[in-house]
Amino acid sequence: MTLDSVPLLDIDPLIDDPATRIIVCCGSGGVGKTTTAAALGVRAAERGRRAVVLTIDPARRLAQSMGIDSLDNIPRRVAGIKATGDGELHAMMLDMKRTFDEIVEAHADSERAAAILNNPFYQSLSAGFAGTQEYMAMEKLGQLRARDEWDLIVVDTPPSRSALDFLDAPKRLGSFLDGKFIRLLMAPAKVGGRAGMKFLNVGMSMMTGTLGKLLGGQFLRDVQTFVTAMDTMFGGFRTRADATYRLLQAPGTAFLVVAAPERDALREAAYFVERLDADGMPLAGLVLNRVHGSGAARLTAERALAAAENLEAGGIVDQEAGNEAVRDSTGPSPEPGTAEHAEPAETADTSPETPHAETAADGGAPVEAQETEEAEETGEPGTPAEPAGSAELAEPAETSPEADTPDAAPEPAGAVPEPTVDALTAGLLRLHAERMQVLAREQRTRDRFTALHPEVAVAEVAALPGDVHDLAGLRAIGDRLATGRSPA
């Protein structure tokens, strides 16, 4: 099954629909998720939506392309949007630690919040604990949706090694909070007072001694202090994680799987499509970025290579002018022995009786007469040859007039000769053959994906000659997204 037989992903109806409140761009790393999310936000805003783009990518490309000095945890208005109606665009970049701090400050009293924020274990956890970034993205999405300030939220998922990290983050955090180790550390706080300390010292003295040796006594105390302070917040974490997960399953959410026409990226995309279907997530379709095309697709790679080799080897397409004239002759060839066949030989014959019949190239006076006329015009009558002993007088005769012209100057040593027309043509043919081979490889990769998932709508985005670095580039990507098909 080819790509032409699968349904086309219509982007404009998706972003124009008021019921669409969240668009999640997901996929493996390096396939253009951030650029796709930004282009969707720009196009939606310019078509009248109040949109905000939430990116988790730490790169600064998004801020630069939107003309913003820097992005942080606060949505920033994007200038230069040619919006219709009430359309506007904001952009923000997830600050993982700041989002975690906001959660603590919002769900704990000031004294407990200060104890948590100053805890060394919390500082390490909020800055780089595995899965924290993905969970904080879910938290920030829930916060933006709860504010109801924007009618469209476009999410650029974290640049994770696995496309499943974003979906698994709430469940992983719930499993961590409900784990035996956390419950064990929370036990003294739940028992309370001296009884709790006695329980910890007597019942778990061996375990805490071993952990103290492995992790360090101070680290273990920091963990216990953190868990004790977070005890009342753990239920809130689980509740919000579950609520955000249900929000992703709601009809107002649309997932766009972003990929490139490469084997690894489409294999990851196929796996993600299957996972979204298994979890009941609403899949809108596949965005295929960086698709190559050619304006001369009828010239196959094989024919282009054969023509290039023929030119380089001096084949039939590289004949001399005389042979070309014979080949292109439309009249019948004269028969041997006829008058027409012998005529060129008679014309070429020169009679010995006319030694001075040689004329100038323009059919004028004989050569000797022409030389005499030139001598008269210059006022230098013909003289006999100069004596061999006069070197100064002989020097002008030895110097050709053409030697004084710039064209006759010798080429510098090591100069590279200019390539011939045939060499340039052969090089272009080989470049075209390489492009056609890339197109064929991309087509085979796409066909394998569509054979596995023929029901998934696909939008192709033709590759741009350079990187996107401004709003004009994002608009160009949006136009290609709306078209949905790469030019042949």
Side-chain angles (χ1 to χ4, degrees):
M1 179 177 292
T2 63
L3 194 61
D4 295 333
S5 59
V6 302
L8 176 67
L9 174 60
D10 291 330
I11 292 295
D12 284 345
L14 177 67
I15 61 178
D16 291 343
D17 187 0
T20 304
R21 303 298 303 272
I22 299 174
I23 296 178
V24 181
C25 298
C26 51
S28 58
V31 296
K33 293 193 306 294
T34 301
T35 301
T36 300
L40 288 171
V42 171
R43 191 169 185 85
E46 293 187 339
R47 295 176 69 89
R49 301 293 299 271
R50 290 181 293 109
V52 58
V53 177
L54 168 62
T55 181
I56 292 89
D57 190 349
R60 305 298 177 183
R61 295 188 304 272
L62 179 62
Q64 294 172 355
S65 62
M66 291 186 171
I68 301 175
D69 294 335
S70 62
L71 291 177
D72 52 21
N73 218 40
I74 301 175
R76 305 290 181 183
R77 179 79 176 265
V78 178
I81 297 297
K82 303 174 182 178
T84 58
D86 296 332
E88 61 182 46
L89 178 64
H90 291 76
M92 62 178 299
M93 185 177 67
L94 177 70
D95 186 333
M96 181 175 60
K97 187 178 187 311
R98 182 57 198 155
T99 302
F100 213 148
D101 293 346
E102 291 174 354
I103 296 172
V104 172
E105 293 168 351
H107 296 89
D109 56 67
S110 57
E111 183 179 353
R112 183 169 297 216
I116 295 173
L117 296 177
N118 295 325
N119 184 273
F121 178 75
Y122 166 78
Q123 294 175 358
S124 300
L125 174 69
S126 60
F129 191 75
T132 305
Q133 185 183 49
E134 288 78 11
Y135 177 78
M136 288 304 127
M138 301 285 278
E139 279 279 352
K140 182 56 69 174
L141 173 60
Q143 292 176 8
L144 294 175
R145 184 66 181 86
R147 290 170 63 175
D148 202 26
E149 187 174 342
W150 299 275
D151 56 24
L152 179 63
I153 303 171
V154 184
V155 182
D156 166 35
T157 56
S160 306
R161 296 182 60 183
S162 172
L164 305 179
D165 288 348
F166 183 71
L167 292 178
D168 288 339
K171 293 182 178 179
R172 283 206 312 272
L173 182 67
S175 300
F176 170 74
L177 297 179
D178 291 332
K180 295 181 179 178
F181 180 67
I182 294 295
R183 292 202 303 269
L184 190 64
L185 294 175
M186 290 171 60
K190 289 183 179 297
V191 174
R194 295 183 178 179
M197 294 305 298
K198 182 178 181 181
F199 170 76
L200 177 64
N201 291 332
V202 176
M204 294 178 291
S205 58
M206 294 181 61
M207 184 204 71
T208 54
T210 303
L211 289 175
K213 292 178 180 178
L214 293 175
L215 305 176
Q218 184 60 46
F219 175 79
L220 186 58
R221 285 191 293 272
D222 292 338
V223 173
Q224 289 173 328
T225 304
F226 165 75
V227 171
T228 301
M230 292 283 290
D231 181 24
T232 57
M233 297 180 56
F234 285 165
F237 276 109
R238 281 189 292 268
T239 301
R240 288 190 302 276
D242 293 340
T244 305
Y245 196 80
R246 290 192 301 271
L247 180 64
L248 293 176
Q249 293 176 318
T253 301
F255 278 82
L256 290 178
V257 178
V258 185
E262 300 169 359
R263 185 176 58 183
D264 293 341
L266 279 175
R267 184 189 296 117
E268 188 83 3
Y271 187 45
F272 206 10
V273 166
E274 296 168 2
R275 171 63 188 277
L276 289 172
D277 181 66
D279 288 0
M281 300 291 177
L283 174 64
L286 171 72
V287 174
L288 203 57
N289 282 330
R290 302 168 190 165
V291 177
H292 294 89
S294 174
R298 290 182 296 178
L299 179 58
T300 63
E302 293 75 12
R303 290 177 57 194
L305 285 175
E309 293 172 357
N310 213 349
L311 280 173
E312 293 169 346
I316 191 170
V317 297
D318 198 23
Q319 292 183 2
E320 298 295 333
N323 294 336
E324 185 178 357
V326 172
R327 182 187 63 187
D328 295 339
S329 177
T330 57
S333 300
E335 297 293 336
T338 63
E340 294 179 0
H341 186 271
E343 184 177 355
E346 293 177 2
T347 305
D349 187 17
T350 303
S351 173
E353 297 178 0
T354 57
H356 300 293
E358 181 180 358
T359 60
D362 58 354
V367 174
E368 292 181 1
Q370 186 177 1
E371 292 176 354
T372 304
E373 292 175 1
E374 292 177 354
E376 291 176 355
E377 293 175 0
T378 57
E380 297 179 0
T383 57
E386 296 294 334
S390 179
E392 296 179 356
L393 296 177
E395 184 176 356
E398 294 176 358
T399 304
S400 174
E402 289 80 0
D404 296 333
T405 62
D407 295 339
E411 295 184 359
V416 179
E418 294 185 0
T420 63
V421 174
D422 288 349
L424 290 174
T425 305
L428 290 175
L429 286 169
R430 290 190 178 278
L431 286 176
H432 175 75
E434 293 178 2
R435 169 58 65 88
M436 295 306 297
Q437 290 170 350
V438 170
L439 265 63
R441 184 171 63 251
E442 291 181 355
Q443 185 65 52
R444 290 193 300 269
T445 306
R446 290 178 300 196
D447 290 346
R448 282 195 291 267
F449 176 86
T450 54
L452 290 173
H453 302 284
E455 77 286 355
V456 177
V458 179
E460 289 185 342
V461 180
L464 292 177
D467 294 334
V468 176
H469 53 79
D470 54 14
L471 287 176
L474 293 176
R475 291 190 186 99
I477 294 293
D479 293 340
R480 284 165 168 77
L481 275 168
T483 302
R485 283 287 184 262
S486 175

